[in-house]
Amino acid sequence: MPSAPRLEKITPDNVTDACRLRVRPEQAGFVESVAESLAEAYASPDIAWPRLVCDGEEAVGFVMAFFDVPFDFDGPGAAPRSGLWRLAVSADHQGAGYGRFAVAAVCDEVRRRGGSTVTVTYKPGDHGPEGFYARLGFRALGMTDDGEVLAELDLPERDLSWSDLSGVDRTEAERTEADRTGSGPTEVGPAAPAA
């Protein structure tokens, strides 16, 4: 498990570390690169919230949230959504709880901004993040127009710790099997909020 993970803003001092993060090769089709994510954050500064996941001095993952974005899925006049836009845990650090930590941090930020539900979209398929999000309690609502699954999680009224997202802990045997086969929670996230 992570010793003391934390989120850091992306700065000139850590942007190179962020851009060097790589997921497993079989997961690459499920999440955009950190560099592309940061370019989108730069182009959408009013809604994007990019953060580096660090443990000690080491960058172990990247998460980007979005806030108050309308989804075509919900129809005209629906309330905007907030949630996970991107999530990538480096290949060498998967299965240690960093993805769960990042999701809990985004949940807390959504709640701090007045939200009560967190949204994620993801591409379905082998080695994708569907099982990871399901174990965190996200429930699939359907498919977006661009073929991604839209899922949401209702938030409790208090801040979460990464250990609060129950059902994610895996035994050492499960971790070993997931590492060997590339199955299990991949801890990679959505491509982009449907606009």
Side-chain angles (χ1 to χ4, degrees):
M1 286 304 224
S3 57
R6 67 187 185 287
L7 296 185
E8 289 189 6
K9 289 182 179 181
I10 306 296
T11 68
D13 293 333
N14 64 20
V15 69
T16 300
D17 291 336
C19 290
R20 287 185 181 143
L21 290 169
R22 298 288 182 268
V23 297
R24 293 180 179 149
E26 65 272 17
Q27 299 167 339
F30 292 96
V31 66
E32 304 303 330
S33 70
V34 173
E36 185 172 330
S37 298
L38 290 174
E40 288 182 288
Y42 178 80
S44 304
D46 294 339
I47 62 168
W49 191 74
R51 297 294 187 266
L52 192 59
V53 180
C54 296
D55 193 349
E57 297 303 311
E58 188 173 12
V60 298
F62 172 81
V63 66
M64 187 162 75
F66 64 91
F67 302 104
D68 299 324
V69 174
F71 274 65
D72 289 342
F73 180 91
D74 296 322
R81 292 180 175 270
S82 297
L84 288 152
W85 189 345
R86 298 277 162 72
L87 175 60
V89 175
S90 71
D92 295 340
H93 294 93
Q94 291 185 17
Y98 295 112
R100 184 173 30 147
F101 164 79
V103 172
V106 168
C107 289
D108 291 342
E109 184 65 19
V110 168
R111 185 182 309 95
R112 188 186 71 74
R113 293 173 182 242
S116 60
T117 303
V118 172
T119 297
V120 66
T121 60
Y122 54 84
K123 298 173 189 175
D126 292 342
H127 306 290
E130 183 172 12
F132 171 72
Y133 289 122
R135 283 186 288 281
L136 294 180
F138 283 87
R139 47 185 196 287
L141 301 177
M143 300 293 280
T144 64
D145 289 343
D146 58 355
E148 293 187 343
V149 175
L150 174 66
E152 69 179 11
L153 174 70
D154 292 327
L155 297 176
E157 294 188 18
R158 62 176 178 78
D159 283 353
L160 296 173
S161 73
W162 52 271
S163 61
D164 286 337
L165 294 171
S166 61
V168 176
D169 289 327
R170 295 185 290 161
T171 65
E172 187 60 36
E174 288 171 316
R175 248 183 247 134
T176 302
E177 176 65 13
D179 290 343
R180 185 181 66 73
T181 64
S183 64
T186 59
E187 300 184 344
V188 294

